[in-house]
mmCIF file of all heavy atoms in Angstrom:
data_model
loop_
_atom_site.group_PDB
_atom_site.id
_atom_site.type_symbol
_atom_site.label_atom_id
_atom_site.label_comp_id
_atom_site.label_asym_id
_atom_site.label_seq_id
_atom_site.Cartn_x
_atom_site.Cartn_y
_atom_site.Cartn_z
ATOM 1 N N LEU A 4 0.143 10.552 15.922
ATOM 2 C CA LEU A 4 1.385 10.402 15.170
ATOM 3 C C LEU A 4 1.151 10.897 13.742
ATOM 4 O O LEU A 4 0.214 10.503 13.083
ATOM 5 C CB LEU A 4 1.805 8.938 15.155
ATOM 6 C CG LEU A 4 3.090 8.623 14.377
ATOM 7 C CD1 LEU A 4 4.293 9.351 14.989
ATOM 8 C CD2 LEU A 4 3.335 7.125 14.357
ATOM 9 N N THR A 5 2.027 11.754 13.273
ATOM 10 C CA THR A 5 1.933 12.286 11.919
ATOM 11 C C THR A 5 3.107 11.788 11.091
ATOM 12 O O THR A 5 4.109 11.284 11.646
ATOM 13 C CB THR A 5 1.957 13.829 11.907
ATOM 14 O OG1 THR A 5 3.227 14.253 12.436
ATOM 15 C CG2 THR A 5 0.812 14.401 12.738
ATOM 16 N N LEU A 10 8.789 10.472 10.303
ATOM 17 C CA LEU A 10 9.977 10.588 9.488
ATOM 18 C C LEU A 10 11.133 11.266 10.212
ATOM 19 O O LEU A 10 12.296 10.920 9.994
ATOM 20 C CB LEU A 10 9.662 11.328 8.187
ATOM 21 C CG LEU A 10 8.771 10.572 7.204
ATOM 22 C CD1 LEU A 10 8.465 11.437 5.984
ATOM 23 C CD2 LEU A 10 9.427 9.269 6.775
ATOM 24 N N CYS A 18 20.275 8.135 10.327
ATOM 25 C CA CYS A 18 21.588 8.782 10.248
ATOM 26 C C CYS A 18 22.562 8.190 11.266
ATOM 27 O O CYS A 18 23.749 7.991 10.928
ATOM 28 C CB CYS A 18 21.431 10.290 10.467
ATOM 29 S SG CYS A 18 20.497 11.110 9.176
ATOM 30 N N GLU A 23 27.251 4.552 11.979
ATOM 31 C CA GLU A 23 27.890 3.393 12.612
ATOM 32 C C GLU A 23 28.413 2.397 11.591
ATOM 33 O O GLU A 23 29.025 1.396 11.956
ATOM 34 C CB GLU A 23 26.891 2.684 13.537
ATOM 35 C CG GLU A 23 26.525 3.497 14.752
ATOM 36 C CD GLU A 23 25.395 2.878 15.563
ATOM 37 O OE1 GLU A 23 24.866 1.804 15.183
ATOM 38 O OE2 GLU A 23 25.014 3.495 16.586
ATOM 39 N N LYS A 29 19.735 -1.865 6.044
ATOM 40 C CA LYS A 29 19.777 -2.245 7.450
ATOM 41 C C LYS A 29 19.458 -1.046 8.336
ATOM 42 O O LYS A 29 18.715 -1.163 9.324
ATOM 43 C CB LYS A 29 21.151 -2.825 7.790
ATOM 44 C CG LYS A 29 21.244 -3.362 9.199
ATOM 45 C CD LYS A 29 22.561 -4.065 9.431
ATOM 46 C CE LYS A 29 22.610 -4.705 10.800
ATOM 47 N NZ LYS A 29 23.905 -5.419 10.995
ATOM 48 N N SER A 30 19.979 0.112 7.995
ATOM 49 C CA SER A 30 19.725 1.330 8.774
ATOM 50 C C SER A 30 18.250 1.665 8.776
ATOM 51 O O SER A 30 17.682 2.039 9.802
ATOM 52 C CB SER A 30 20.537 2.480 8.235
ATOM 53 O OG SER A 30 21.916 2.223 8.357
ATOM 54 N N LEU A 31 17.607 1.539 7.594
ATOM 55 C CA LEU A 31 16.175 1.813 7.488
ATOM 56 C C LEU A 31 15.361 0.837 8.329
ATOM 57 O O LEU A 31 14.459 1.248 9.065
ATOM 58 C CB LEU A 31 15.729 1.754 6.048
ATOM 59 C CG LEU A 31 14.255 2.010 5.799
ATOM 60 C CD1 LEU A 31 13.852 3.421 6.263
ATOM 61 C CD2 LEU A 31 13.916 1.820 4.348
ATOM 62 N N LEU A 33 16.331 -0.953 10.946
ATOM 63 C CA LEU A 33 16.572 -0.693 12.367
ATOM 64 C C LEU A 33 15.823 0.543 12.841
ATOM 65 O O LEU A 33 15.232 0.554 13.936
ATOM 66 C CB LEU A 33 18.066 -0.549 12.630
ATOM 67 C CG LEU A 33 18.910 -1.810 12.511
ATOM 68 C CD1 LEU A 33 20.403 -1.493 12.507
ATOM 69 C CD2 LEU A 33 18.572 -2.783 13.644
ATOM 70 N N TYR A 35 13.041 1.816 11.483
ATOM 71 C CA TYR A 35 11.622 1.461 11.510
ATOM 72 C C TYR A 35 11.295 0.683 12.779
ATOM 73 O O TYR A 35 10.276 0.935 13.435
ATOM 74 C CB TYR A 35 11.253 0.648 10.278
ATOM 75 C CG TYR A 35 9.858 0.079 10.335
ATOM 76 C CD1 TYR A 35 8.762 0.874 10.022
ATOM 77 C CD2 TYR A 35 9.621 -1.215 10.769
ATOM 78 C CE1 TYR A 35 7.461 0.370 10.104
ATOM 79 C CE2 TYR A 35 8.336 -1.725 10.850
ATOM 80 C CZ TYR A 35 7.269 -0.935 10.517
ATOM 81 O OH TYR A 35 6.002 -1.417 10.631
ATOM 82 N N SER A 36 12.147 -0.254 13.139
ATOM 83 C CA SER A 36 11.958 -1.034 14.350
ATOM 84 C C SER A 36 11.932 -0.136 15.587
ATOM 85 O O SER A 36 11.074 -0.302 16.466
ATOM 86 C CB SER A 36 13.075 -2.086 14.469
ATOM 87 O OG SER A 36 12.951 -2.807 15.637
ATOM 88 N N VAL A 50 0.142 5.344 9.715
ATOM 89 C CA VAL A 50 0.727 6.546 9.113
ATOM 90 C C VAL A 50 1.310 6.200 7.739
ATOM 91 O O VAL A 50 1.082 6.922 6.763
ATOM 92 C CB VAL A 50 1.800 7.171 10.027
ATOM 93 C CG1 VAL A 50 2.602 8.222 9.297
ATOM 94 C CG2 VAL A 50 1.143 7.775 11.258
ATOM 95 N N SER A 54 -0.197 7.646 3.940
ATOM 96 C CA SER A 54 0.667 8.741 3.508
ATOM 97 C C SER A 54 0.686 8.870 1.996
ATOM 98 O O SER A 54 0.756 7.893 1.266
ATOM 99 C CB SER A 54 2.099 8.495 3.999
ATOM 100 O OG SER A 54 2.126 8.551 5.386
ATOM 101 N N ALA A 61 10.289 11.047 2.704
ATOM 102 C CA ALA A 61 11.345 10.342 3.426
ATOM 103 C C ALA A 61 12.728 10.755 2.913
ATOM 104 O O ALA A 61 13.638 11.000 3.721
ATOM 105 C CB ALA A 61 11.154 8.829 3.263
ATOM 106 N N VAL A 62 12.877 10.859 1.609
ATOM 107 C CA VAL A 62 14.173 11.269 1.050
ATOM 108 C C VAL A 62 14.464 12.695 1.441
ATOM 109 O O VAL A 62 15.622 13.048 1.769
ATOM 110 C CB VAL A 62 14.189 11.081 -0.486
ATOM 111 C CG1 VAL A 62 15.411 11.713 -1.115
ATOM 112 C CG2 VAL A 62 14.108 9.587 -0.836
ATOM 113 N N SER A 63 13.491 13.559 1.459
ATOM 114 C CA SER A 63 13.681 14.951 1.844
ATOM 115 C C SER A 63 14.192 15.065 3.287
ATOM 116 O O SER A 63 15.134 15.809 3.544
ATOM 117 C CB SER A 63 12.388 15.740 1.715
ATOM 118 O OG SER A 63 11.962 15.787 0.382
ATOM 119 N N VAL A 64 13.591 14.319 4.175
ATOM 120 C CA VAL A 64 14.032 14.338 5.576
ATOM 121 C C VAL A 64 15.466 13.810 5.694
ATOM 122 O O VAL A 64 16.314 14.392 6.374
ATOM 123 C CB VAL A 64 13.073 13.531 6.480
ATOM 124 C CG1 VAL A 64 13.655 13.323 7.867
ATOM 125 C CG2 VAL A 64 11.730 14.242 6.563
ATOM 126 N N LEU A 67 18.028 16.316 4.485
ATOM 127 C CA LEU A 67 18.237 17.397 5.448
ATOM 128 C C LEU A 67 19.054 16.951 6.657
ATOM 129 O O LEU A 67 19.878 17.708 7.173
ATOM 130 C CB LEU A 67 16.896 17.957 5.930
ATOM 131 C CG LEU A 67 16.098 18.738 4.898
ATOM 132 C CD1 LEU A 67 14.695 19.054 5.428
ATOM 133 C CD2 LEU A 67 16.815 20.012 4.529
ATOM 134 N N CYS A 69 21.104 14.000 7.023
ATOM 135 C CA CYS A 69 22.430 13.416 6.816
ATOM 136 C C CYS A 69 22.700 13.194 5.325
ATOM 137 O O CYS A 69 22.770 12.051 4.869
ATOM 138 C CB CYS A 69 22.617 12.125 7.591
ATOM 139 S SG CYS A 69 21.351 10.871 7.350
#
Side-chain angles (χ1 to χ4, degrees):
L4 179 62
T5 63
L10 290 177
C18 295
E23 292 172 1
K29 185 173 184 179
S30 297
L31 179 62
L33 289 168
Y35 171 81
S36 178
V50 168
S54 295
V62 170
S63 297
V64 169
L67 290 172
C69 53

